[in-house]
């Protein structure tokens, strides 16, 4: 009997250096780490520094030090989006050659939003296709958009099952590049993951609605599709939304060192795992080792909620 080895899992965590790590991102970091390591795979770190105006100086280092303090050690070199420009350009040209792109003279605001990963508090107005048939005379090119298909785009999420989206209803022809030169989040993330050989994307539910756009781009670029798992979101009391400031990991830990283990155990419980009582008081490495040996993705709950520390 011929046995075909399945490829090794390559997972990743891809924070944007726009602020310090918050508990929602910590959940994504721990979830992606444990799912990759549980499968005997590797776990990569990429700094999503495409959206220059929103970046805060020193935050990439701060994120890395915070991950290290939890024992979340990545494999290999850190990748930076800002170094992948040539690859974005090649992908862009391929889409252009295939007649999928067109220049658009509309809406500065929408293009600005497209630079970074859209989260639920960002506006999303489906683009009505005004420039699909050509720009109005005298307009400047503000973005390049991709024609979305008429059929729904579907993919299987490891936790949520089959997800289908009609891109025309959700976002319309979306921007992949600014008029000047900069490439935008949806295109960049697809190229970045492919470049690094990422075949498992585990991240928060807030990016679920972006995934069909990314799957569509993968198909149009002839790229393999990673497996996806979107994790429940951390919320405040009664499901209220947390602002980026009020759930910072650094604040949860206070100034007291040595509480990382407690927070890590809380994240494991949040992800539906059941760490034994002996682990309370243990160091992060021991807790992560337990997680690597026994992480069960089937136990991740359907709904998020508070992170009880
Ligand atoms: N950098 C993105 C963010 O912080 C995440 C990108 C991704 O996971 O695809 O929201």
């Amino acid at each position: 009997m011929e046995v075909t080895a399945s490829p090794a899992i390559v997972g990743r965590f891809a924070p944007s250096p726009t602020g310090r790590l918050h508990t929602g991102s910590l959940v994504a970091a721990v979830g992606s780490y444990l799912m990759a390591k549980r499968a005997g795979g590797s776990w990569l770190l990429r700094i999503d520094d495409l959206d220059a105006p929103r970046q805060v100086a020193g935050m990439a280092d701060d994120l890395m030090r915070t991950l290290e303090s939890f024992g979340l050690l990545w494999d290999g070199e850190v990748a930076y989006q800002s170094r992948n420009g040539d690859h974005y350009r090649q992908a862009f040209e391929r889409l252009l050659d295939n007649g999928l792109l067109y220049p658009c003279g509309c809406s500065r605001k929408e293009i600005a939003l497209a630079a970074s990963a859209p989260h639920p508090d960002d506006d999303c107005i489906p683009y009505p296709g005004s420039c699909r048939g050509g720009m109005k005379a005298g307009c400047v090119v503000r973005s390049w958009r991709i024609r979305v298909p008429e059929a729904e785009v579907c993919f299987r999420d490891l936790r949520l099952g089959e997800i289908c989206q009609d891109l025309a209803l959700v976002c319309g022809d979306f921007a992949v590049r600014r008029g000047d030169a900069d490439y935008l989040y949806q295109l960049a993330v697809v190229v970045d993951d492919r470049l690094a050989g990422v075949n498992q994307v585990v991240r928060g539910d807030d990016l679920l609605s972006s995934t069909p756009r990314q799957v569509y781009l993968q198909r149009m670029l002839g790229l393999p599709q990673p497996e996806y798992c979107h994790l429940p979101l951390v919320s405040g009391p009664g499901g209220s939304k947390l602002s980026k400031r009020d759930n910072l990991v650094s604040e949860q830990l206070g100034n007291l060192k040595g509480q990382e283990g407690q927070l890590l155990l809380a994240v494991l419980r949040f992800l539906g795992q059941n760490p034994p009582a002996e682990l309370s008081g243990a160091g992060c490495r021991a807790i992560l080792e337990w997680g690597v040996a026994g992480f069960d993705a089937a136990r991740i709950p359907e709904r998020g909620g508070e992170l009880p520390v």
Side-chain angles (χ1 to χ4, degrees):
M1 193 178 68
E2 202 184 317
V3 181
T4 345
S6 41
I9 289 292
V10 182
R12 50 77 152 175
F13 177 54
S16 303
T18 50
R20 311 187 88 168
L21 195 74
H22 51 89
T23 47
S25 318
L26 181 63
V27 167
V30 171
S32 58
Y33 176 92
L34 291 179
M35 284 183 68
K37 296 288 173 177
R38 172 90 178 109
S42 49
W43 185 69
L44 309 181
L45 177 65
R46 183 179 76 233
I47 300 294
D48 278 1
D49 56 353
L50 189 68
D51 185 10
R54 285 178 61 180
Q55 282 171 49
V56 180
M59 281 306 126
D61 275 344
D62 193 83
L63 291 166
M64 288 189 253
R65 298 298 84 80
T66 308
L67 292 174
E68 283 168 348
S69 71
F70 283 92
L72 292 163
L73 306 179
W74 51 92
D75 295 298
E77 298 282 308
V78 180
Y80 291 83
Q81 281 189 323
S82 53
R83 299 179 189 166
N84 287 345
D86 282 349
H87 298 277
Y88 303 151
R89 184 178 44 75
Q90 283 164 23
F92 175 84
E93 281 166 7
R94 177 152 185 199
L95 297 172
L96 192 64
D97 290 347
N98 291 339
L100 288 159
L101 304 182
Y102 63 88
C104 166
C106 307
S107 153
R108 225 172 246 283
K109 185 177 174 210
E110 214 191 344
I111 299 157
L113 283 170
S116 35
H119 293 274
D121 46 348
D122 297 334
D123 297 354
C124 183
I125 320 140
Y127 177 67
S130 325
C131 297
R132 228 185 199 213
M135 291 199 314
K136 284 201 207 99
C139 279
V140 290
V141 180
R142 285 188 165 152
S143 65
W144 289 84
R145 293 182 181 274
I146 183 161
R147 292 169 205 280
V148 296
E150 272 165 29
E152 288 189 322
V153 174
C154 299
F155 72 98
R156 230 188 73 72
D157 181 271
L158 287 174
R159 181 173 72 96
L160 302 165
E162 190 176 54
I163 304 284
C164 289
Q165 195 185 75
D166 183 342
L167 296 184
L169 289 181
V170 176
C171 53
D173 295 344
F174 55 96
V176 295
R177 184 186 170 181
R178 276 190 233 273
D180 43 26
D182 292 345
Y183 296 93
L184 298 172
Y185 165 73
Q186 305 290 354
L187 179 66
V189 78
V190 161
V191 172
D192 299 327
D193 283 336
R194 178 59 194 150
L195 271 178
V198 167
N199 55 15
Q200 183 184 70
V201 172
V202 178
R203 58 187 177 189
D205 245 359
D206 50 346
L207 287 166
L208 181 65
S209 76
S210 284
T211 306
R213 268 171 271 181
Q214 293 166 19
V215 167
Y216 174 58
L217 285 170
Q218 285 150 5
R219 290 181 191 159
M220 294 304 101
L221 289 165
L223 303 177
Q225 185 186 312
E227 60 183 35
Y228 285 99
C229 181
H230 291 84
L231 302 173
L233 297 182
V234 177
S235 67
S240 60
K241 222 169 74 182
L242 285 169
S243 83
K244 285 200 171 128
R245 266 185 208 93
D246 59 14
N247 65 342
L248 290 175
V249 165
S250 49
E251 268 157 35
Q252 292 268 358
L253 293 171
N255 291 323
L256 300 169
K257 283 283 156 205
Q259 291 204 7
E260 282 85 353
Q262 285 306 104
L263 193 49
L264 203 48
L265 287 170
V267 170
L268 281 169
R269 286 191 288 267
F270 178 86
L271 290 171
Q273 313 301 303
N274 200 1
E278 303 90 83
L279 279 180
S280 58
C284 290
R285 285 311 308 169
I287 295 168
L288 288 175
E289 269 163 34
W290 178 86
V292 169
F295 190 81
D296 182 0
R299 296 180 61 111
I300 303 173
E302 218 167 283
R303 298 175 69 84
E306 281 184 81
L307 186 75
V309 184

